Amino acid sequence: MAPVPKMMKAVQIDKTGGTEVLQYKDLAVPTPKDNEVLIKNEFIGVNYIDTYFRTGLYPNPKPMVLGREASGSIAALGSQIPNSLSFSNGDPVVYMGVSAYAEYTVCPAEKVLKIPDGITLSDACASFLQGLTALTLVEETHKVQSGDWVLVLAATGGVGGWLCQILRAKGAKTIGTVGSEEKVQVAKVQGADVIVIDRPGQGDVLKTVKDCTDGQGAAAVFDGVGKETFERSLECVARKGTVASFGNASGAVGPFLISKLSAKNAKVARPTLFNYIYTREEFEQYSAALFKLMIDRKFSVRIHETYPLKDVARAHNDIESRKTMGKLLLKP
C-alpha cells in the first residue's frame, strides 16, 4: 500500500446552518490509537442524519467533520486490537462511526467489518446504514410476519427502498408511498405491492390502507417523514400495531397525547439503529444477515448519484429536496 500522507481533504463545519457552512478543506490525517483503525475511504455515505448535525437539529460539539459511514481499506492499525477481529492492512472494510466526510477516518475497531466476497465497496457503503436500519426496524421495532400488511412512507428513499425489498423477502405485503409518478415503477421494482402517490389530489393513503386491509389498518407503519405524516400514521395503523417514527425529513414530531394510543392499543416507537447494534455480537449478526440477503436474494442496490467530495453541498441540497431515489455517495 502507498504510505499514509500527513494531510488530507475533508468536509468540516464550525457552526450550524445551511449548506454554506460546509467547508472543503485540508486537515491532518488522524493517527489510530488503541483499539482503532485508520481507513482510507473510497465511498462515503450521505444520510439524512448528516443534515440534522449540519442544521443543529442534533447538537454536537464544533468543529465537526460530518459523515457516519464509509467503505474503503485499512491503512493503519492501532495497538491492542483484539485478535478475534483479524484485521490486516489493505483489508476491504465498511464501517459506521464519525468523521467519514474525509479521505481518511479513524474508527473504533469494534465498529469496522470486513466486506465479504461478492459485495463491492460501493454496494457495501450504499447498503450499510440504511439497510441495517431497515432490517432492524422489521426485526426489532416491529417483528413483521409473513402476510402482514405494512405501510412504508417514502418507499423509494434510502431506507424505504430497503424496507420494501426486505419486507418482500419476509413475505409481507407492502403499501408504499411515493412523491411523484416517476417513482411508481421504482417502488414496484423494489417490492411494494400497492403504491400511492402521496400528493394532494393524487392519492389517499388512509383510504388505500383501509381498502387493502378490509378496514383493519396496517400491522406496522414505518414513517421516516416525521412531522407532516405522524398523525396520519396513527390513523393508518391497525389495532395492536406499531407506528415506527424513525426520521424527521419534514421536521421533528411534536408532543402528542399518549391517550391517543388507547383507541387501538397501538404502540409508537422512535428507534435509532445504533441501539440495535450496540454490541459487537449484534453488529456482526445484523451485518451478516444483511449481506446474506443481498447475495442470496440479489437485492438491488440503488445509487442515486456518486458526487465528488468537494460537491458535498450539492449532495445535501439534493437529499433535502426529497426528490432522490436510492443512496447518495461521496467519492474522495
Side-chain angles (χ1 to χ4, degrees):
M1 289 185 64
V4 176
K6 292 184 178 180
M7 301 298 291
M8 66 178 183
K9 292 294 186 183
V11 176
Q12 181 176 282
I13 61 171
D14 297 328
K15 59 184 179 181
T16 57
T19 55
E20 73 280 354
V21 303
L22 297 166
Q23 302 175 67
Y24 180 69
K25 62 191 299 184
D26 291 312
L27 294 177
V29 173
T31 300
K33 299 176 183 176
D34 291 351
N35 297 305
E36 291 182 338
V37 298
L38 178 68
I39 298 155
K40 184 180 189 298
N41 296 323
E42 295 295 337
F43 295 94
I44 302 160
V46 179
N47 296 286
Y48 224 101
I49 193 173
D50 302 342
T51 71
Y52 301 159
F53 286 114
R54 192 202 75 224
T55 61
L57 179 64
Y58 288 0
N60 214 63
K62 307 292 183 298
M64 175 189 186
V65 174
L66 294 174
R68 311 291 285 188
E69 66 175 339
S71 63
S73 57
I74 292 180
L77 297 166
S79 59
Q80 300 183 26
I81 293 175
N83 291 332
S84 59
L85 298 182
S86 303
F87 288 142
S88 300
N89 284 340
D91 282 346
V93 292
V94 63
Y95 68 91
M96 276 186 284
V98 297
S99 305
Y101 283 15
E103 291 182 286
Y104 290 85
T105 301
V106 158
C107 186
E110 291 289 320
K111 297 302 180 185
V112 179
L113 278 176
K114 287 185 185 179
I115 299 172
D117 292 341
I119 304 286
T120 65
L121 283 171
S122 59
D123 282 358
C125 184
S127 66
F128 207 46
L129 193 149
Q130 291 173 342
L132 287 175
T133 296
L135 187 58
T136 53
L137 283 171
V138 305
E139 294 292 343
E140 299 261 9
T141 310
H142 181 94
K143 181 73 171 176
V144 175
Q145 305 296 329
S146 178
D148 281 351
W149 276 102
V150 176
L151 175 61
V152 175
L153 304 191
T156 59
V159 176
W162 284 101
L163 279 167
C164 289
Q165 293 192 84
I166 293 169
L167 288 166
R168 178 170 57 185
K170 289 177 71 68
K173 293 172 284 190
T174 303
I175 303 164
T177 73
V178 297
S180 62
E181 185 69 44
E182 56 263 33
K183 293 184 177 183
V184 170
Q185 186 58 34
V186 175
K188 192 174 294 185
V189 170
Q190 297 278 60
D193 298 283
V194 178
I195 299 149
V196 189
I197 300 175
D198 191 10
R199 293 175 67 89
Q202 287 191 269
D204 187 327
V205 175
L206 179 58
K207 182 179 185 303
T208 302
V209 170
K210 294 293 187 184
D211 289 347
C212 289
T213 62
D214 294 325
Q216 299 301 305
V221 179
F222 295 113
D223 184 345
V225 178
K227 183 179 179 179
E228 286 180 6
T229 55
F230 180 71
E231 291 293 336
R232 188 186 65 194
S233 292
L234 291 177
E235 293 183 80
C236 289
V237 75
R239 183 178 64 88
K240 299 197 289 185
T242 303
V243 174
S245 178
F246 65 91
N248 307 306
S250 67
V253 174
F256 71 100
L257 289 172
I258 196 170
S259 58
K260 284 186 176 183
L261 304 180
S262 63
K264 301 178 184 176
N265 283 7
K267 297 178 285 293
V268 171
R270 181 56 176 91
T272 62
L273 168 63
F274 302 102
N275 282 325
Y276 289 138
I277 55 170
Y278 185 80
T279 68
R280 180 70 186 186
E281 180 182 9
E282 292 169 330
F283 186 44
E284 290 183 349
Q285 171 196 335
Y286 277 114
S287 299
L290 176 64
F291 290 145
K292 187 175 191 310
L293 280 169
M294 290 171 63
I295 294 170
D296 292 352
R297 296 278 184 161
K298 296 181 171 56
F299 275 8
S300 167
V301 182
R302 188 176 182 87
I303 296 172
H304 174 76
E305 185 175 341
T306 300
Y307 305 73
L309 182 59
K310 64 182 177 61
D311 291 347
V312 61
R314 183 165 64 87
H316 273 225
N317 284 328
D318 286 352
I319 199 170
E320 288 180 299
S321 75
R322 293 163 62 185
K323 295 179 181 178
T324 61
M325 289 186 282
K327 187 71 177 184
L328 283 65
L329 298 177
L330 300 170
K331 180 77 172 160

